[in-house]
Amino acid sequence: MTSLPERGAAPPSNPTPSSREGDAAVASSSSSTSSAPEEQRKDGGPKQCKASILSSVLTIFEPDQDQSSRSGGHASGSYAWSRVLRRFVGGGSMWRFLGCGKALTAADVQFLGKCYKLSSEESSSDSDSEGGHAAFLEDFSSRIWITYRKGFDAISDSKLTSDVNWGCMVRSSQMLVAQALIFHHLGRSWRKPAQNPSNPEYIRILHLFGDSEACAFSIHNLLQAGKSYGLAAGSWVGPYAMCRAWQTLIRTNREQPEVINRNESFPMALYVVSGDEDGERGGAPVVCIDVAAQLCYDFNKDQSAWSPILLLVPLVLGLDKINPRYIPLLKETFTFPQSLGILGGKPGASTYIAGVQDDRALYLDPHEVQLAVNIASDNLEADTSSYHCSTVRDMPLDLIDPSLAIGFYCRDKDDFDDFCSRASELAEQANGAPLFTVVQSVQPSKQMYNQDDGSGCSGYGVSDNIDTEDLDGSGETGEDEWQIL
């Protein structure tokens, strides 16, 4: 019997014609892309891997030509079995059995601000679009993938050394913030090279998300920062509380003298967007341009007028299920060049949604359990394969949990202005039910930002008509945690 190729093995150079018929792009494992040689990645390694598996499996059932000429009935039976097997593989069941995702069709993919024309393997003349399955899969497998880990130091006093079955929201949020750091330090066009040594900035970013208190953005430190929002080891948490935990952690990070002007310092302002300009319950979150400007001004400690900024927009888009009217709007956010994707997923099972195709969400799944690793910030030869995944998974957009958070990264003032323009246009198309809106300023009596905060993080100032006893420590009233749209 012909054996299947080993993980990471080079595929045959002449795949069978039948193996090219499928229009789905499949990646075989979380590490094969990173370990494959450069030539294989350029020639569409995932497609060749699929061809290799197809040809290997189908060879078992192909009739021998000499034997066929001697026994016609047996040959026709073998051919029938071959047709059944081809149908089984082409339908996706075989790929699910092998642990591969068959998520892609020939339709365009919107992925973190990039459009991939999967109907063509050639580069598109559109500057905002790229062509081919191989280009998309290279981009997808270059994104930082953070999953459940086991075997790390115990979290605080919990004695837990793994986050299996409860840490998926934390891991999803780490993925989103990690992409923001990648975009900031290395640019949107960065792709993970096939061989070491790795880029120093890339290694430093991975180090920040290690699983120990010594790593700035570890699960240990996030849980500690989010205590006042209900974060605790062993407990599941929602997107809003997760965004606020990041706000607290980054504020603490910037206030520590030992990280000032060092690589561990968060390199951008953070704006957690919530509330509305009139303070009404249930209104859409409002991006206030003046608030963003003040956050950037404080982040730079008055040295310049603007800085890079990360925006997190927590939303509730329904009760038990997402309201269908918001699905087209969510899809459109992935066309923004500033897109960082969505913290979301099925109820009780968070994922990092990084793209869309038709009415399906494409995501990185944190629910795979891996051993904890310690990547030193200066180890350019480190094995980083466990931080990348080349399996594209998908789910229907109408099945995602209505509680989610959208992320955006704006590099400078021009980029932020472009984001505001796109967001305003999207709000105008929403028929009175926008995801969020954009305003220039807010009324002084409803001030959304405390200028004395100085942390580069958003908060609500204490105005004369707000009872300070109602504030929960973040500058917000505890009742206003969610905006149900």
Side-chain angles (χ1 to χ4, degrees), residues 67-103:
Q67 185 178 0
S68 299
S69 61
R70 293 191 298 269
S71 54
H74 177 72
S76 61
S78 298
Y79 177 70
W81 271 109
S82 178
R83 289 184 62 189
V84 170
L85 183 60
R86 288 180 191 277
R87 236 182 255 117
F88 171 64
V89 173
S93 299
M94 184 67 170
W95 301 109
R96 286 188 288 273
F97 173 75
L98 293 172
C100 306
K102 185 185 177 182

Side-chain angles (χ1 to χ4, degrees), residues 376-434:
S377 60
D378 58 353
N379 184 6
L380 304 187
E381 299 293 334
D383 178 6
T384 65
S385 60
S386 67
Y387 284 96
H388 295 275
C389 174
S390 49
T391 300
V392 182
R393 292 182 170 87
D394 72 322
M395 73 177 81
L397 279 166
D398 60 1
L399 293 185
I400 67 174
D401 194 306
S403 299
L404 52 87
I406 314 176
F408 302 96
Y409 165 73
C410 302
R411 181 173 295 276
D412 51 32
K413 181 63 163 62
D414 290 341
D415 203 20
F416 180 76
D417 289 343
D418 179 74
F419 162 76
C420 289
S421 176
R422 293 172 184 270
S424 296
E425 290 178 7
L426 185 62
E428 291 174 0
Q429 301 168 12
N431 296 322

Side-chain angles (χ1 to χ4, degrees), residues 64-341:
D64 180 86
Q65 295 297 329
D66 293 337
Q67 185 178 0
S68 299
S69 61
R70 293 191 298 269
S71 54
H74 177 72
S76 61
S78 298
Y79 177 70
W81 271 109
S82 178
R83 289 184 62 189
V84 170
L85 183 60
R86 288 180 191 277
R87 236 182 255 117
F88 171 64
V89 173
S93 299
M94 184 67 170
W95 301 109
R96 286 188 288 273
F97 173 75
L98 293 172
C100 306
K102 185 185 177 182
L104 302 181
T105 67
D108 293 353
V109 167
Q110 297 291 343
F111 185 74
L112 298 179
K114 290 282 187 182
C115 178
Y116 286 93
K117 303 284 186 181
L118 300 193
S119 58
S120 170
E121 287 297 323
E122 309 218 345
S123 297
S124 171
S125 58
D126 185 349
S127 60
D128 294 329
S129 302
E130 297 188 30
H133 291 74
F136 166 70
L137 288 173
E138 184 182 32
D139 189 356
F140 182 90
S141 61
S142 295
R143 299 309 111 211
I144 306 300
W145 180 46
I146 302 179
T147 71
Y148 288 154
R149 297 279 181 173
K150 62 180 181 179
F152 50 68
D153 293 340
I155 298 174
S156 188
D157 298 328
S158 69
K159 298 183 180 180
L160 290 175
T161 59
S162 171
D163 62 316
V164 176
N165 295 329
W166 59 268
C168 55
M169 178 58 72
V170 178
R171 299 306 189 178
S172 298
S173 75
Q174 287 179 315
M175 283 191 266
L176 187 148
V177 175
Q179 311 317 324
L181 294 174
I182 288 287
F183 292 174
H184 176 77
H185 289 294
L186 300 174
R188 178 63 183 86
S189 61
W190 177 83
R191 301 292 182 266
K192 185 184 182 301
Q195 299 175 347
N196 288 333
S198 298
N199 184 291
E201 289 291 354
Y202 161 68
I203 292 297
R204 280 194 284 267
I205 290 170
L206 292 186
H207 170 74
L208 292 173
F209 296 92
D211 295 311
S212 74
E213 292 182 3
C215 300
F217 307 134
S218 66
I219 189 171
H220 299 65
N221 292 330
L222 276 166
L223 293 176
Q224 179 65 31
K227 274 187 175 181
S228 61
Y229 297 99
L231 272 70
S235 299
W236 198 84
V237 65
Y240 175 86
M242 197 70 251
C243 292
R244 291 298 175 188
W246 274 103
Q247 181 184 44
T248 302
L249 179 60
I250 290 171
R251 180 187 297 116
T252 303
N253 172 262
R254 287 184 54 78
E255 290 174 350
Q256 293 176 350
E258 63 270 21
V259 301
I260 299 299
N261 298 323
R262 292 180 56 189
N263 295 321
E264 289 82 1
S265 180
F266 197 66
M268 64 193 78
L270 172 62
Y271 184 4
V272 178
V273 181
S274 62
D276 63 42
E277 61 178 319
D278 295 320
E280 298 291 337
R281 296 289 193 271
V286 175
V287 176
C288 179
I289 296 173
D290 287 351
V291 169
Q294 185 65 56
L295 290 167
C296 292
Y297 184 79
D298 290 344
F299 175 85
N300 286 322
K301 299 188 181 299
D302 306 346
Q303 294 178 7
S304 63
W306 207 265
S307 73
I309 187 168
L310 167 63
L311 297 97
L312 298 177
V313 188
L315 298 165
V316 175
L317 303 179
L319 296 176
D320 296 330
K321 60 184 297 185
I322 191 169
N323 189 322
R325 71 189 303 174
Y326 295 111
I327 292 177
L329 305 179
L330 285 177
K331 291 173 60 177
E332 189 66 21
T333 64
F334 287 96
T335 69
F336 289 21
Q338 303 81 14
S339 171
L340 286 175

